[in-house]
Amino acid sequence: MTSSTSSSSLEKPPRSTELAREQAYMDVLHDALGALREEIRSELRTVLRESSGTAQGQVERGAAAERLARKLFTLETAENGLCFGRLDRTDDERLYIGRIGVPGAGPDDDPLLIDWRAPAARPFYTATAAAPQGVRLRRHLHTRDRRVLRVDDELFGDTSAAPDDVQLSGEAALLAALQHGKTGRMHDAVATLQTEQDKIIRSPLAGVMVVQGSPGTGKTVVALHRAAYLLYSHERLQRSGVLVVGPNSVFLEYISQVLPGLGETSVLLSSVGGLYPGLSASAEEPAASAEIKGRLVMADVLDRAVRARQAAVTAPVDALIGGEHIRLSQDFLADAAARATEDGRQHNLARPVFRDILFEELADRLARVIGDIETRFEEVLAGEMDVEALDRAVQEDLASVFGQDAKVYDFRARLPAEFADRKANWLHALPRDPAARRLLDSLWPLLSPEQLLEDLYADPARLAAAAPELGKEERALLVRERGAPWTASDVPLLDEAAELLGYDDRAETEQQAARRAAERDYAQGVLDIARGSRDADGTSDEQLHAADLVTADQLAGWHTQTDLRTVAERAAADRSWVFGHVIVDEAQELSPMTWRLLVRRCPTRSFTVVGDAAQSSDAAGATSWREALEPFFGTRWRLSQLTVNYRTPGEIMEASSQVLKAISPELLPARAVRHGAEPPRCEGTTPEEFPARLAEVAACAARRVAGGRTAVVAPTADLERLAAAVATRIPDVSWGANVDLERDVVVLDVRQAKGLEFDSVIVADPQGMLDSSARGLSDLYVALTRAGRFLQVLHPGPLPDVLSHLAQDFS
Ligand SMILES: Nc1ncnc2c1ncn2[C@@H]1O[C@H](COP(=O)(O)OP(=O)(O)OP(=O)(O)O)[C@@H](O)[C@H]1O
């Protein structure tokens, strides 16, 4: 298929000599790698042994240790497949390309190995016969452990060669890589990245890069290698980290080894359900409610829900504080709320301000109580109150102010100074007064995002007030009991709520300060004992002691733990972490509320967005990139297309072509690299015989790809029943939330199968898939395009029209 650049007829040394030469070079490389590793290990040991008393020293030591540990990890993971390529340039320079760079022995020596991400390595991925970029020979080295097994060469000599329809670089190496049976885990493709992929991987960090490609075009490959490339070429990303968002935990497990395998630890892989620290939101929910939660209007709904918890009353509020009936008017409360939230102060941070305004008012009113007695006396004189009632009122008021024993009317209380004293006493007493605290909590509760959302979902009246844009039936879909598990579409709402509520960390800061003070006191005690023992053992005053050199603060600092977590681990635990770059895979699944969350995680809006609108099964997901991205990025995004399908042979892609047309007639399938696969098989059965027949078909498929991976993709609602049936024939089959992709046979629904691939795929009940979702066609398309070698369709009822072209032939 390639415009072949090779010309194997040129004079070349015999293969065995070439292999021996390459093996010798490989040995040199591995020795150099071993020496580098030893050097870093010893540096790390030195840094860890060092002790620096100052806070600054501690920080520097921690940073140095982290940098060295990261470097060591990179060197250790580079061992396997260390060098995979060679470029012989027309100027006689020879470069070896590998997973990392290895410097030459001396400072002036050429590097022994060039990192695949370095600019000099680029022609390895992009040189073609028509544009050889100064390259004479491109060699792929196939290795196992440290042994060179084979080399594949392409010679670039004939510049008149015309490019044909698909340009593949290193075709032989690529096809060899694609032949490998699946293992249930994705592997990196550094040795065989293709030109169109390389272009995207190396495109600038800034802005939003959208990568559209149909199934199997290497979107995930591109996304992950781009993360590795960006981390290599932008040092600051090592500190801020890169966030990679995938559709679900099964997919994350599938891709989990790629970046560590490339030596990268500063990447956080997460599904949307995992983006709220401390929560793993994985409960299922109906597509209809997920779709509503994903709408942008939910940001307004939550804003209103928060405001409704800010002294928003429809009548005056009566409270009994300090034995006094106090009435707070709506106007007073509205004014207090407005002052508390001035300058956009968040709810929980505004609460102390509101509390101060409220308590000031209460203290003022309570301090005036004695003045009120005079008013009541006037009421007696006017005949509006009898004397006994006045007596009782006086006693009550006095008791409330001066305690139960107060009998004497305190004339001094009328003096301004006395009033100020009483008010000050009340201001001091109110924060501890249970009734005053209850009043504060009812008017302006301290809220966690979880509480806000639970209260909202659990109360239809609250929902109605906060979400007038939603119809009654839509609101009914949001109602759920308190304590129900969270779903992935709750996460962007919790995050939004956290933004609106804010986090009052004063208590935490006080605790930290108290802890530090305690550590310092302890350290001081240690030093005192040290000095005491010196005096006791009669050591001369001239002799220098640790206690003379170190202050208590320094000693306490030594015990402060250095944070040795990786950037990814720290980012995962911190909702306010700002990433340097965000990569979204299967981005067509994201709801507008999720996009909003992601932009908060990366305010510089440096994004790589990969996906395929035709594969969107989420009702809240995107059908067009413009529609999905414009609200967040305007028109500031660039689109790239991937056009070659590496996964699915042409014959199998043909099976899904009608489905693709039915999704949208404008969509074109990618061109397949491989052809000559067995055409897909299709079989009808009865609903009664369906489960047993499926088990037989699965067992047969697994035998055909012995050592490879087989998946049954079934409608969600029927998955348990069908998986149980398959288990009667294949006891080791895996399915469910924690499905093990490394088993030979798995049963998945389409959501789980998204982004994955298998040697053999059985699509069970295609009509069931079409019927169970508004995006059923996309679901069926995803299911059909997971197969790398064999595809089978088993239908218990009539075959859907979009598959009518498949031959009814099973054996
Ligand atoms: N340059 C490459 N060299 C070797 N293998 C590759 C290359 N590009 C892609 N592949 C392989 O092709 C298969 C499909 O790649 P990938 O999963 O990235 O596609 P995708 O576009 O994300 O597919 P989908 O949309 O179905 O999720 C994988 O097995 C991947 O390893």
Side-chain angles (χ1 to χ4, degrees):
M1 160 171 280
T2 175
S3 60
S4 197
T5 51
S6 67
S7 160
S8 40
S9 60
L10 293 184
E11 285 270 310
K12 282 197 290 181
R15 288 262 135 180
S16 55
T17 321
E18 278 299 287
L19 275 185
R21 263 192 215 149
E22 298 298 13
Q23 184 62 60
Y25 198 79
M26 195 66 73
D27 294 342
V28 170
L29 279 176
H30 277 282
D31 288 349
L33 182 70
L36 262 182
R37 269 202 310 254
E38 209 25 71
E39 209 175 285
I40 301 290
R41 270 197 205 111
S42 126
E43 256 186 78
L44 185 58
R45 272 195 297 271
T46 312
V47 167
L48 291 175
R49 265 202 305 266
E50 265 171 21
S51 54
S52 167
T54 65
Q56 176 68 13
Q58 287 282 328
V59 171
E60 281 166 11
R61 189 175 145 233
E66 199 211 302
R67 186 178 48 78
L68 290 167
R70 215 169 48 211
K71 204 160 173 186
L72 190 58
F73 176 78
T74 307
L75 295 177
E76 278 166 356
T77 49
E79 168 93 25
N80 202 7
L82 174 63
C83 171
F84 50 77
R86 188 180 108 182
L87 285 179
D88 288 2
R89 301 179 51 86
T90 46
D91 58 9
D92 285 339
E93 197 184 359
R94 175 172 292 177
L95 303 175
Y96 278 89
I97 317 293
R99 307 177 84 80
I100 56 165
V102 176
D108 297 328
D109 291 340
D110 287 337
L112 293 174
L113 190 64
I114 308 278
D115 191 299
W116 64 277
R117 295 163 285 194
R122 195 156 193 205
F124 185 73
Y125 302 107
T126 55
T128 62
Q133 299 166 49
V135 175
R136 193 166 51 78
L137 171 136
R138 171 165 54 206
R139 169 169 288 180
H140 279 86
L141 295 122
H142 300 260
T143 58
R144 183 173 311 130
D145 301 326
R146 295 178 176 203
R147 262 189 328 122
V148 182
L149 303 176
R150 207 182 77 224
V151 295
D152 282 322
D153 287 348
E154 291 162 277
L155 284 160
F156 300 86
D158 179 8
T159 48
S160 66
D164 72 7
D165 58 347
V166 180
Q167 286 275 319
L168 296 177
S169 64
E171 183 172 6
L174 174 68
L175 292 177
L178 298 178
Q179 292 305 312
H180 289 149
K182 309 296 172 216
T183 61
R185 289 282 179 277
M186 184 175 241
H187 299 283
D188 70 70
V190 270
T192 52
L193 289 172
Q194 298 297 298
T195 307
E196 66 176 13
Q197 297 176 325
D198 181 86
K199 212 164 131 198
I200 296 167
I201 289 167
R202 289 176 204 253
S203 79
L205 168 68
V208 181
M209 158 71 101
V210 179
V211 184
Q212 159 72 40
S214 51
T217 50
K219 295 184 295 298
T220 302
V221 164
V222 163
L224 297 176
H225 288 76
R226 178 156 164 77
Y229 171 77
L230 292 177
L231 284 160
Y232 170 83
S233 45
H234 300 272
E235 174 72 22
R236 71 183 167 82
L237 287 187
Q238 294 282 0
R239 291 184 296 278
S240 58
V242 171
L243 170 66
V244 174
V245 181
N248 55 52
S249 55
V250 180
F251 176 81
L252 295 180
E253 191 61 30
Y254 170 63
I255 63 168
S256 60
Q257 289 171 5
V258 177
L259 284 162
L262 292 172
E264 296 301 346
T265 56
S266 298
V267 179
L268 174 65
L269 301 183
S270 178
S271 62
V272 174
L275 283 174
Y276 190 78
L279 209 79
S280 173
S282 55
E284 293 291 327
E285 77 177 313
S289 60
E291 186 273 322
I292 295 168
K293 289 177 187 175
R295 293 185 201 166
L296 220 42
V297 74
M298 288 306 288
D300 298 330
V301 171
L302 290 176
D303 188 47
R304 271 184 232 116
V306 171
R307 286 180 193 284
R309 312 298 293 271
Q310 298 179 338
V313 293
T314 51
V317 171
D318 291 315
L320 186 68
I321 312 265
E324 270 300 300
H325 289 285
I326 291 181
R327 168 162 289 200
L328 299 167
S329 73
Q330 284 164 270
D331 283 351
F332 164 74
L333 291 171
D335 180 58
R339 283 165 57 200
T341 51
E342 244 167 25
D343 302 330
R345 213 176 277 120
Q346 294 156 304
H347 175 90
N348 288 332
L349 304 180
R351 182 179 133 112
V353 183
F354 177 80
R355 181 197 57 203
D356 290 351
I357 299 171
L358 176 70
F359 285 1
E360 168 85 24
E361 175 74 9
L362 294 179
D364 200 80
R365 300 259 202 112
L366 290 164
R368 284 178 203 283
V369 161
I370 289 166
D372 286 354
I373 294 170
E374 282 176 80
T375 315
R376 289 175 196 179
F377 192 61
E378 278 160 18
E379 284 170 5
V380 172
L381 291 180
E384 291 166 42
M385 191 189 257
D386 63 27
V387 178
E388 284 79 8
L390 172 66
D391 191 44
R392 272 199 311 279
V394 167
Q395 287 312 319
E396 272 170 24
D397 284 344
L398 288 175
S400 73
V401 178
F402 300 110
Q404 289 303 325
D405 298 334
K407 289 279 184 292
V408 188
Y409 185 72
D410 186 350
F411 286 98
R412 282 171 307 163
R414 298 165 70 185
L415 300 173
E418 275 299 306
F419 171 79
D421 270 0
R422 281 204 317 278
K423 185 170 168 183
N425 285 342
W426 275 115
L427 278 175
H428 182 70
L430 283 171
R432 284 163 208 82
D433 182 281
R437 278 171 35 190
R438 270 198 305 278
L439 177 67
L440 172 65
D441 285 343
S442 70
L443 288 171
W444 202 291
L446 192 65
L447 286 170
S448 69
E450 289 88 337
Q451 253 172 301
L452 178 85
L453 223 57
E454 290 215 313
D455 291 351
L456 183 67
Y457 286 153
D459 184 343
R462 268 207 177 117
L463 258 176
E469 299 91 343
L470 302 182
K472 207 168 162 202
E473 277 151 26
E474 289 179 322
R475 288 201 300 267
L477 284 169
L478 297 184
V479 173
R480 49 163 247 168
E481 282 173 16
R482 280 173 208 283
W486 299 107
T487 67
S489 44
D490 287 324
V491 163
L493 302 188
L494 287 167
D495 201 70
E496 185 79 26
E499 287 294 308
L500 293 166
L501 294 172
Y503 176 58
D504 188 357
D505 62 355
R506 273 176 298 183
E508 207 168 273
T509 312
E510 273 169 32
Q511 270 172 11
Q512 272 173 8
R515 217 173 23 243
R516 270 198 301 276
E519 277 161 9
R520 197 197 158 284
D521 287 349
Y522 174 77
Q524 188 62 56
V526 171
L527 292 181
D528 289 347
I529 291 168
R531 288 201 183 95
S533 66
R534 170 180 58 182
D535 297 343
D537 67 17
T539 318
S540 110
D541 275 353
E542 281 80 52
Q543 228 171 320
L544 218 46
H545 256 249
D548 301 313
L549 295 172
V550 190
T551 67
D553 274 332
Q554 287 169 333
L555 189 57
W558 282 355
H559 297 291
T560 312
Q561 282 213 335
T562 311
D563 192 348
L564 284 176
R565 291 174 301 169
T566 63
V567 165
E569 284 165 340
R570 276 180 279 150
D574 182 358
R575 200 191 66 80
S576 59
W577 189 275
V578 170
F579 291 92
H581 191 75
V582 174
I583 295 181
V584 189
D585 201 347
E586 306 287 348
Q588 73 279 355
E589 304 298 324
L590 261 51
S591 70
M593 282 304 285
T594 307
W595 280 114
R596 199 172 150 93
L597 175 157
L598 291 179
V599 170
R600 269 200 294 275
R601 296 286 197 274
C602 182
T604 54
R605 289 173 163 75
S606 173
F607 275 70
T608 303
V609 172
V610 314
D612 178 12
Q615 295 184 60
S616 176
S617 27
D618 198 312
T623 45
S624 111
W625 291 121
R626 195 182 58 76
E627 210 177 276
L629 302 176
E630 219 163 61
F632 309 97
F633 307 108
T635 51
R636 293 185 310 278
W637 48 277
R638 46 194 201 277
L639 180 71
S640 284
Q641 303 257 6
L642 288 172
T643 58
V644 179
N645 180 345
Y646 302 95
R647 174 190 302 138
T648 325
E651 294 74 12
I652 296 182
M653 279 318 281
E654 190 50 33
S656 62
S657 60
Q658 294 302 324
V659 184
L660 185 63
K661 245 191 215 128
I663 294 170
S664 165
E666 285 145 39
L667 294 168
L668 294 174
R671 288 163 297 174
V673 167
R674 291 183 297 139
H675 289 273
E678 191 178 287
R681 299 178 184 183
C682 185
E683 181 185 296
T685 177
T686 63
E688 296 71 35
E689 286 169 7
F690 176 48
R693 182 68 189 134
L694 180 64
E696 270 171 49
V697 170
C700 175
R703 272 197 304 278
R704 268 209 298 183
V705 295
R709 299 289 178 275
T710 298
V712 174
V713 187
T716 312
D718 216 8
L719 190 128
E720 274 299 320
R721 180 178 78 106
L722 297 179
V726 174
T728 59
R729 287 293 300 262
I730 309 167
D732 201 33
V733 64
S734 177
W735 76 93
N738 298 317
V739 61
D740 178 359
L741 294 176
E742 284 175 316
R743 300 276 181 87
D744 288 349
V745 182
V746 294
V747 183
L748 308 166
D749 66 6
V750 172
R751 261 174 196 278
Q752 291 178 309
K754 199 144 277 190
L756 309 185
E757 65 184 17
F758 303 87
D759 296 290
S760 183
V761 169
I762 301 146
V763 176
D765 189 10
Q767 189 61 51
M769 274 173 211
L770 291 174
D771 293 342
S772 52
S773 150
R775 302 253 173 108
L777 275 170
S778 296
D779 283 355
L780 180 56
Y781 182 59
V782 170
L784 293 166
T785 53
R786 300 303 97 199
R789 284 168 66 198
F790 302 109
L791 173 67
Q792 294 165 259
V793 175
L794 187 63
H795 54 102
L799 186 64
D801 286 348
V802 283
L803 297 179
S804 58
H805 57 293
L806 293 187
Q808 295 281 321
D809 142 49
F810 243 71
S811 44

